[in-house]
Amino acid sequence: MFATSSDILKWADSQHVAIGGFNVYNFEGIKAVIEGAEEEETPIIIQMHPASLQRGAKPLMAMALEAANLSKVPVSIHLDHVDSLEVVKEGIDFGLQSFMPDGSIHNYQGNVEFTRLCARIIKDNEGFVEGELGRLSGTEDGTTIENYKSLLTDPLQVIDFVSSTTIDALAVCVGNVHGKYLSEPKLDFQRLYRIREATEIPLVMHGASGLPNEIISECIRAGISKFNVNTELRQAYILGMSEAVDQGMSDLISVMNLCIVKMREVVVSKIRQYSFI
Ligand code: 13P
């Protein structure tokens, strides 16, 4: 059934677990995420990045919404890293309710202004807003932020950022990166605990691919409610394709099914990881 991101995050809070936000690009991705959530009987958030929307546009959103409506578990559909007001408006017109306006490319004041502007429109339509304070490095869907341009979340700015923008959830930068971790991931947990002390709204960790169990559990203890996963799902999809080629598969249904199985395995293992403190 279709659900709102705030209902899903409230559920996570009541169960003392975190939720996965999984990025998808097509039907196989949507199916894998929902099947994984149904297998684990847990709510889930399906996310789409502007790059996947540029390609899939309204048919992709329609497919995700209908799949959410038909699912046995609560599913919300979230637009990730939205960098323009137009995309927010298009999503709202289409019936979406959950957005991450990403103003992290701007300086602090620019970020506040962009996020607040988007939040006003989203909230006028009873939607949910995730904002990012700081700037994550790494690569996602063709966009690369170099390490030296990244910014950790400043705990001293959190109260002002949350109240000025009226966001419902805060994406934090504490050493997490989009894409592959080039060395062993090291997160600044002291900073994360200070952010948690500064606000009660749910905290979100982008770049959750590649984080080992102990780090995930510590993040949940420190107050992370939502983990965003893209890279590991994409890798699973590509692995499915290459195995299909190696096995000489020629019918497309079998190839698609193999890709779904590979992605579903990732979804299930992440849901289990996020339920364990
Ligand atoms: P990864 O690609 O590192 O999993 O990050 C995904 C993400 O943060 C989506 O917003």
Side-chain angles (χ1 to χ4, degrees):
M1 69 230 50
F2 179 76
T4 65
S5 291
S6 49
D7 282 345
I8 290 181
L9 287 165
K10 273 186 207 139
W11 176 88
D13 187 43
S14 73
Q15 304 296 309
H16 310 291
V17 298
I19 284 291
F22 293 95
N23 286 61
V24 302
Y25 296 79
N26 56 15
F27 174 71
E28 290 95 299
I30 294 167
K31 199 163 161 57
V33 173
I34 291 185
E35 283 184 0
E38 286 179 340
E39 196 176 319
E40 292 300 301
E41 299 180 352
T42 184
I44 204 120
I45 300 176
I46 288 186
Q47 310 193 140
M48 282 170 278
H49 189 277
S52 71
L53 278 185
Q54 256 171 24
R55 195 160 188 293
K58 288 184 181 170
L60 181 64
M61 285 196 262
M63 201 155 60
L65 278 172
E66 189 56 7
N69 283 332
L70 295 171
S71 79
K72 298 192 191 103
V73 293
V75 179
S76 114
I77 311 296
H78 176 81
L79 291 199
D80 196 24
H81 293 292
V82 176
D83 59 2
S84 82
L85 204 56
E86 284 62 44
V87 175
V88 168
K89 287 180 182 160
E90 267 175 45
I92 289 172
D93 288 347
F94 207 74
L96 299 189
Q97 295 178 324
S98 184
F99 299 84
M100 182 223 185
D102 184 354
S104 67
I105 194 78
H106 306 292
N107 64 17
Y108 178 73
Q109 206 43 44
N111 188 359
V112 167
E113 277 159 27
F114 175 72
T115 308
R116 180 170 46 203
L117 193 64
C118 294
R120 196 174 302 147
I121 294 170
I122 297 165
K123 293 195 158 222
D124 281 349
N125 289 277
E126 291 165 18
F128 172 92
V129 185
E130 176 186 319
E132 178 170 312
L133 178 56
R135 190 179 304 129
L136 227 60
S137 65
T139 299
E140 188 169 28
D141 287 330
T143 304
T144 298
I145 304 290
E146 304 294 345
N147 230 344
Y148 72 93
K149 287 189 183 154
S150 69
L151 282 177
L152 296 179
T153 304
D154 181 349
L156 296 175
Q157 291 178 327
V158 168
I159 295 179
D160 182 67
F161 188 73
V162 171
S163 63
S164 308
T165 57
T166 73
I167 54 173
D168 303 296
L170 176 68
V172 297
C173 307
V174 291
N176 41 322
V177 301
H178 278 135
K180 274 193 190 151
Y181 285 82
L182 299 175
S183 55
E184 201 188 316
K186 281 204 177 62
L187 302 189
D188 184 346
F189 282 106
Q190 270 194 343
R191 185 179 294 271
L192 185 52
Y193 279 105
R194 286 179 61 209
I195 297 168
R196 177 71 294 168
E197 275 167 24
T199 181
E200 287 184 349
I201 65 171
L203 301 181
V204 180
M205 176 150 293
H206 284 239
S209 289
L211 293 179
N213 284 345
E214 12 2 307
I215 289 190
I216 293 289
S217 298
E218 175 85 46
C219 285
I220 298 171
R221 284 196 291 275
I224 295 291
S225 304
K226 171 176 175 256
F227 291 96
N228 282 10
V229 181
N230 183 347
T231 300
E232 282 190 60
L233 270 192
R234 287 202 316 267
Q235 286 169 338
Y237 192 118
I238 291 166
L239 179 69
M241 297 242 235
S242 71
E243 281 187 16
V245 171
D246 288 348
Q247 289 170 29
M249 281 183 190
S250 58
D251 77 291
L252 204 46
I253 299 288
S254 308
V255 177
M256 284 157 70
N257 282 344
L258 188 56
C259 294
I260 291 169
V261 166
K262 296 288 176 200
M263 285 190 283
R264 194 174 62 211
E265 281 168 8
V266 173
V267 173
V268 166
S269 90
K270 295 291 168 194
I271 292 172
R272 292 185 185 165
Q273 219 182 8
Y274 304 156
S275 312
F276 184 74
I277 301 185

